[in-house]
Amino acid sequence: MPFIPVITIDGPSASGKGAVAQLLAKTLQFHYLDSGLIYRLTALAARRANIDLQDEARLAQLASALDIQFDGEEIRLNQAPVGAEVRGEACGADASTIAVLPAVRVALLARQRAFRQSPGLVAEGRDMGSVVFPEANLKIYLDASAEIRALRRYKQLKEKGMYANLEEILHGLIARDARDCTRSFAPLQKAADTFFLDNSELTVAQTTDVILQLYKEKVSDLAS
Ligand code: C5P
């Protein structure tokens, strides 16, 4: 088996893990897994198929047969490009509703693990280091204050020309964090072997540099 390193970045909504993971993957020329997107696509597919978001058996079936493709920036669901809807707050809330269901999570495991390909992977989400890649070479938990995260999400949505209300976003984030942290199966948690990083005062580039440095130290430890 060739050595395929994995760096996991877990953290709450809008902690900047997406932007940081993408920059890190680009810098290291690694593959990139946005696991939240897979949950979002499952939720979107469920909505379109009129499946009740509590119907665990049907949702798990849908998740295991999900027809999704990533082609550069383009994301296809059932062969058709998905629009900005998949990144909206409503889809995020739906994703977090179905993410509570163990059978859905299990159904998505193999799909996520398949992203581990040479020369390496940067995977971001909520349970990357705890469940999907417990053997990862470097595990990061990224966080920032709820107010800063809400402001980041607000700016992101505005930049995309989407509806955004700061107060609503803050309440939505707090509710989503609570659901993600308290679910009994694969909750968002700071595992003991995880490096905790608060990036409230750091830019994406600075956060990425810190992680890059940690990774270089890990790799030189592995080599020695
Ligand atoms: O990261 P993002 O906001 O796109 O994720 C949407 C939702 O998907 C999260 O609020 C969370 O409930 C769920 N999720 C998860 N496990 C992951 C990634 C996302 O439960 N690894």
Side-chain angles (χ1 to χ4, degrees), residues 10-11 13-14 17 34-37 39-40 87 91-93 95-97 99-100 105 112 124-128 132 153 176 180 183 186:
D10 289 303
S13 315
K17 51 189 196 314
D34 172 359
S35 59
L37 179 58
Y39 283 91
R40 283 170 180 266
R87 296 290 183 190
C91 192
S96 120
T97 302
V100 168
R105 304 197 72 85
Q112 295 174 83
E124 54 114 334
R126 305 294 189 292
D127 62 341
M128 296 295 97
V132 183
R153 179 57 50 87
R176 190 130 69 90
D180 290 346
R183 67 183 176 221

Side-chain angles (χ1 to χ4, degrees), residues 11-146:
S13 315
S15 54
K17 51 189 196 314
V20 168
Q22 281 178 65
L23 182 57
L24 190 63
K26 198 171 161 206
T27 309
L28 291 167
Q29 299 199 322
F30 279 10
H31 296 275
Y32 164 60
L33 166 62
D34 172 359
S35 59
L37 179 58
I38 297 189
Y39 283 91
R40 283 170 180 266
L41 286 165
T42 309
L44 191 62
R47 281 274 181 216
R48 288 182 180 172
N50 279 322
I51 297 176
D52 185 313
L53 298 189
Q54 309 295 335
D55 188 338
E56 186 165 3
R58 280 192 72 198
L59 288 168
Q61 211 172 36
L62 175 89
S64 50
L66 206 63
D67 175 9
I68 52 180
Q69 277 134 23
F70 304 100
D71 188 2
E73 291 286 289
E74 189 167 279
I75 305 158
R76 267 186 244 113
L77 174 61
N78 295 325
Q79 310 293 323
V82 286
E85 188 186 359
V86 76
R87 296 290 183 190
E89 289 304 283
C91 192
D94 283 352
S96 120
T97 302
I98 63 158
V100 168
L101 306 168
V104 171
R105 304 197 72 85
V106 169
L108 293 175
L109 268 180
R111 194 182 288 272
Q112 295 174 83
R113 288 185 177 141
F115 278 77
R116 186 177 189 173
Q117 283 179 25
S118 199
L121 175 68
V122 180
E124 54 114 334
R126 305 294 189 292
D127 62 341
M128 296 295 97
S130 55
V131 176
V132 183
F133 302 106
E135 73 294 4
N137 304 88
L138 176 65
K139 299 181 186 181
I140 306 289
Y141 186 101
L142 205 57
D143 208 350
S145 74

